[in-house]
């Protein structure tokens, strides 16, 4: 009976990472451009060591890779909002100064006139440097990632001028994982490593934002399933204890 309790306890411990991952997904249902990372599942593995060959232990299998499935498109009408299409990612500068990538498109101009994301990461241009916006100019984006500036004080019809090209990469053939700050990096490469854009087109949708790719209904269903699984494992532990106590009472001398 003790082995049944051990297996049930092992299942509870192994499902812990899945519960943390699900809680993180639910907390980011409304986060702009949020992408799911972890996929977890339980598999039965044969336990090595003394005992029968039929002894199996639950073990969690984790797939730590960013899922770039597009989220819902939200039209905002704001000139600095962009939604990255397909599997396009945007190059930014992380908090440690290294190159990283993101799907977050709520951009803004900080007090120094430099373009950054809503979380404060500097947006990089195609040549790898920061993007400085001329003071007093109105800026807008093209679907190809070009940044246009218009002088409102210009006489006649204002002329748009290209001042920068966003660093856009197609990650359809490049696996990405999350950094500690929530940005993306290339799997198997050193942090800050750039990668060649894939065969897919890179583009964006101006004046729109991409919502979180987390499905709240599916996440709630998984949360209920995990709660029931936890209750089931605890019930197994209690039943094994009850059976063990019954067996011990039969061995007592009357």
């Amino acid at each position: 009976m003790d082995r049944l309790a051990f297996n049930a306890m092992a299942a509870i411990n192994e499902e812990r990472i899945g519960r943390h991952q699900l809680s993180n997904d639910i907390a980011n249902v409304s986060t702009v451009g949020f992408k799911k990372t972890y996929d977890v599942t339980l598999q039965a593995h044969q336990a090595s060591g003394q005992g029968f060959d039929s002894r199996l232990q639950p073990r969690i299998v984790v797939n730590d890779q960013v899922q770039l499935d597009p989220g819902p498109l939200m039209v905002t009408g704001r000139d600095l909002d962009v939604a990255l299409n397909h599997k396009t990612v945007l190059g930014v500068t992380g908090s440690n100064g290294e190159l990283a990538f993101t799907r977050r498109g709520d951009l803004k101009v900080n007090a120094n006139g430099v373009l950054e994301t809503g979380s404060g990461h500097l947006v990089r241009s195609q040549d790898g440097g920061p993007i400085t916006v001329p003071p007093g100019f109105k800026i807008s984006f093209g679907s190809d990632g070009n940044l246009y500036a218009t002088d409102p004080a210009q006489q006649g019809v204002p002329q748009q001028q290209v001042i920068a090209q966003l660093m856009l990469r197609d990650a359809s053939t490049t696996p990405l994982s999350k950094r500690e700050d929530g940005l993306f990096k290339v799997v198997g490469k050193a942090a800050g490593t750039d990668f060649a854009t894939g065969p897919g087109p890179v583009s964006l949708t101006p004046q729109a934002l991409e919502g979180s790719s987390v499905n709240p209904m599916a996440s709630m269903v998984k949360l209920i399933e995990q709660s029931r699984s936890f209750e089931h494992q605890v019930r197994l532990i209690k039943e094994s204890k009850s059976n063990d106590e019954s067996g011990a009472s039969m061995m007592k001398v009357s």
Side-chain angles (χ1 to χ4, degrees), residues 33-166:
F34 178 80
K35 295 299 175 187
K36 296 177 60 177
T37 304
Y38 280 101
D39 264 341
V40 296
T41 184
L42 279 179
Q43 291 185 358
H45 289 261
Q46 183 175 350
S48 59
Q50 297 181 355
F52 298 102
D53 294 337
S54 59
R55 291 176 55 201
L56 299 176
Q57 288 281 346
R59 184 176 301 174
I60 195 170
V61 178
V62 178
N63 178 24
D64 183 11
Q65 185 173 326
V66 177
Q67 303 173 19
L68 292 176
D69 299 330
L73 187 66
M74 303 178 295
V75 179
T76 63
R78 182 172 174 268
D79 291 334
L80 293 182
D81 286 343
V82 295
L84 302 175
N85 301 329
H86 309 294
K87 302 265 179 100
T88 302
V89 293
L90 173 65
V92 296
T93 300
S95 54
N96 56 357
E98 296 176 342
L99 171 64
F101 299 92
T102 185
R103 289 276 293 192
R104 187 162 184 169
D106 53 339
L107 308 183
K108 61 181 179 179
V109 180
N110 61 20
N112 298 322
V114 181
L115 191 67
E116 64 181 21
T117 65
S119 54
H121 298 110
L122 300 182
V123 178
R124 293 203 181 193
S125 63
Q126 186 62 35
D127 58 6
I131 299 177
T132 303
V133 178
F137 277 63
K138 180 181 179 181
I139 61 176
S140 59
F141 292 93
S143 59
D144 56 354
N146 282 329
L147 179 60
Y148 299 93
T150 305
D151 186 3
Q154 183 180 358
Q155 298 294 332
V157 180
Q159 299 294 324
Q160 291 184 335
Q161 298 179 359
V162 179
I163 61 175
Q165 166 75 32
L166 297 179

Side-chain angles (χ1 to χ4, degrees), residues 204-217:
L204 53 85
T205 301
Q207 299 184 354
L209 288 176
E210 180 190 19
S212 173
S213 62
V214 177
N215 188 326
M217 297 300 296

Side-chain angles (χ1 to χ4, degrees), residues 225-242:
E225 291 178 349
Q226 288 191 359
S227 298
R228 291 179 176 176
S229 175
F230 177 80
E231 294 174 356
H232 176 68
Q233 302 298 339
V234 172
R235 189 179 302 113
L236 285 177
I237 296 175
K238 292 181 178 179
E239 289 295 332
S240 65
K241 177 183 178 183
S242 177

Side-chain angles (χ1 to χ4, degrees), residues 4 11 15-16 25 31 54 66 79 106 165 168 180 187 208-209 222-223 225 235 246 254:
L4 176 61
E15 290 179 343
R16 174 174 46 86
D25 288 348
T31 302
S54 59
V66 177
D79 291 334
D106 53 339
Q165 166 75 32
L168 301 178
E180 293 181 356
V187 174
L209 288 176
K222 287 184 178 180
L223 183 61
E225 291 178 349
R235 189 179 302 113
S246 299
S254 58

